[in-house]
């Protein structure tokens, strides 16, 4: 399924986004091919391409008004959960009795067991940078973080979901159909 994605974005307030009509993909940052296979890279590029198209921008091989680069970082994380089960937790007790020592007092003790479980998971951070090709300045950036679902059956849906969420703060609204 789709776990939620956390998105942070920022943009150049002075940039006139309405003048941009075409975009070109600059490709992936150098280390990304060690993390993503060609299918995943194309899937992500296509999903962002669709989001830009919804905003009236068309993809060109070169010479676009804006240039888009993508970068992915994956961190291995571990979550730890602990559960404590208390059994027979008695209290203090005192009683009178007959025996060698006169009375007796005692403490009733219970037992507790704590079980820990660790789960390893991958958290991906995807960065999309958008540059004005005329000024060569970055004009928009979106950073999305999400636990990675590595089930290939979910890949298309998950990538489309992440691209949509990451593009939501883009200064150009999707065109209403």
């Amino acid at each position: 399924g789709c776990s939620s994605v956390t998105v942070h974005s920022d943009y150049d307030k002075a940039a006139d986004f309405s003048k941009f009509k075409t975009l070109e993909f600059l490709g992936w940052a150098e280390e990304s091919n060690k993390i993503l296979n060609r299918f995943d890279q194309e899937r992500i590029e296509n999903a962002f391409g669709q989001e830009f198209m919804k905003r009236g921008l068309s993809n060109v091989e070169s010479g676009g008004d804006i240039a888009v680069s993508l970068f992915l970082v994956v961190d291995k994380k571990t979550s730890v959960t602990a559960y404590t089960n208390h059994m027979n937790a008695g209290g203090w007790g005192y009683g009178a009795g007959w025996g060698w020592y006169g009375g007796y007092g005692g403490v009733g003790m219970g037992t507790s067991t704590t079980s820990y479980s660790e789960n390893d998971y991958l958290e991906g951070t995807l960065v999309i940078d958008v540059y004005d090709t005329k000024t060569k300045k970055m004009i928009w950036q979106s950073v999305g973080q999400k636990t990675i679902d590595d089930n290939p059956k979910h890949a298309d849906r998950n990538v489309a979901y992440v691209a949509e969420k990451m593009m939501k703060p883009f200064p150009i609204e999707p065109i209403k159909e």
Side-chain angles (χ1 to χ4, degrees):
C2 292
S3 70
S4 65
V5 59
T6 304
V7 175
H8 301 282
S9 74
D10 201 1
Y11 70 100
D12 181 346
K13 313 293 186 269
D16 178 8
F17 284 83
S18 67
K19 71 179 182 180
F20 303 125
K21 303 297 178 212
T22 58
L23 76 117
E24 63 181 285
F25 276 101
L26 295 176
W28 287 85
E30 208 171 297
E31 299 296 309
S32 298
N33 62 351
K34 293 179 181 171
I35 300 166
L36 290 172
N37 64 37
R38 180 180 64 88
F39 303 118
D40 287 333
Q41 287 180 349
E42 289 174 3
R43 190 175 281 124
I44 293 168
E45 285 176 25
N46 290 337
F48 278 105
Q50 289 295 315
E51 288 299 318
F52 281 110
M53 278 178 48
K54 290 178 186 176
R55 290 159 175 81
L57 291 142
S58 57
N59 195 1
V60 294
E61 286 296 313
S62 63
D65 299 326
I66 60 174
V68 176
S69 72
L70 296 161
F71 180 67
L72 179 71
V73 178
V74 174
D75 293 314
K76 185 175 183 181
K77 305 266 184 159
T78 302
S79 67
V80 178
T81 53
Y83 173 74
T84 302
N85 187 8
H86 303 283
M87 298 184 301
N88 302 327
W92 289 88
Y94 181 79
W98 304 102
W100 289 104
Y101 302 107
Y104 68 87
V107 178
M109 295 300 256
T111 59
S112 294
T113 57
T114 301
S115 57
Y116 295 92
S117 65
E118 290 188 358
N119 295 309
D120 291 334
Y121 63 96
L122 297 176
E123 182 177 81
T125 302
L126 181 60
V127 180
I128 180 169
D129 292 329
V130 176
Y131 299 89
D132 180 333
T133 55
K134 287 191 178 41
T135 64
K136 307 282 191 248
K137 287 184 182 174
M138 183 167 62
I139 55 171
W140 186 72
Q141 181 182 65
S142 186
V143 179
Q145 272 188 317
K146 179 183 179 314
T147 301
I148 295 175
D149 174 358
D150 53 7
N151 183 337
K153 291 179 183 171
H154 302 157
D156 288 332
R157 187 181 68 217
N158 282 342
V159 167
Y161 169 79
V162 169
E164 181 182 337
K165 294 295 183 197
M166 287 180 67
M167 288 292 294
K168 193 168 179 63
F170 191 72
I172 300 171
E173 291 282 321
I175 298 165
K176 302 287 183 230
E177 294 178 16

